[in-house]
Amino acid sequence: MKYFVNENCIGCGLCTTTCPNVFTMTDENVARASDSDVSPEDEPAAEEALEGCPVDAIEHA
Ligand code: SF4
């Protein structure tokens, strides 16, 4: 499973707190998702980040 952050991101930082192994902030102050497959250990937190994003900016890639 991979994730993708779309152009809706407002840079609130929630996903980077919920799942820092997958989501990081860029220099442009938006989130980006790891290019790698998410490990089974990180998937629950990644799903929580997807569901918690206030602007639905996180998608399954
Ligand atoms: S939770 Fe959503 S809006 Fe906030 S930084 Fe992450 S992708 Fe962007």
Side-chain angles (χ1 to χ4, degrees):
M1 180 83 75
K2 291 184 185 180
Y3 292 81
F4 173 76
V5 177
N6 70 32
E7 69 283 354
N8 290 344
C9 178
I10 56 172
C12 75
L14 183 63
C15 59
T16 64
T17 301
T18 304
C19 188
N21 287 347
V22 175
F23 300 100
T24 52
M25 296 302 286
T26 71
D27 291 342
E28 286 79 40
N29 258 334
V30 291
R32 73 176 297 279
S34 169
D35 292 331
S36 308
D37 267 326
V38 173
S39 70
E41 293 78 22
D42 287 331
E43 272 197 19
E47 283 298 304
E48 188 180 335
L50 182 153
E51 288 164 15
C53 176
V55 292
D56 291 335
I58 302 173
E59 306 171 23
H60 292 126

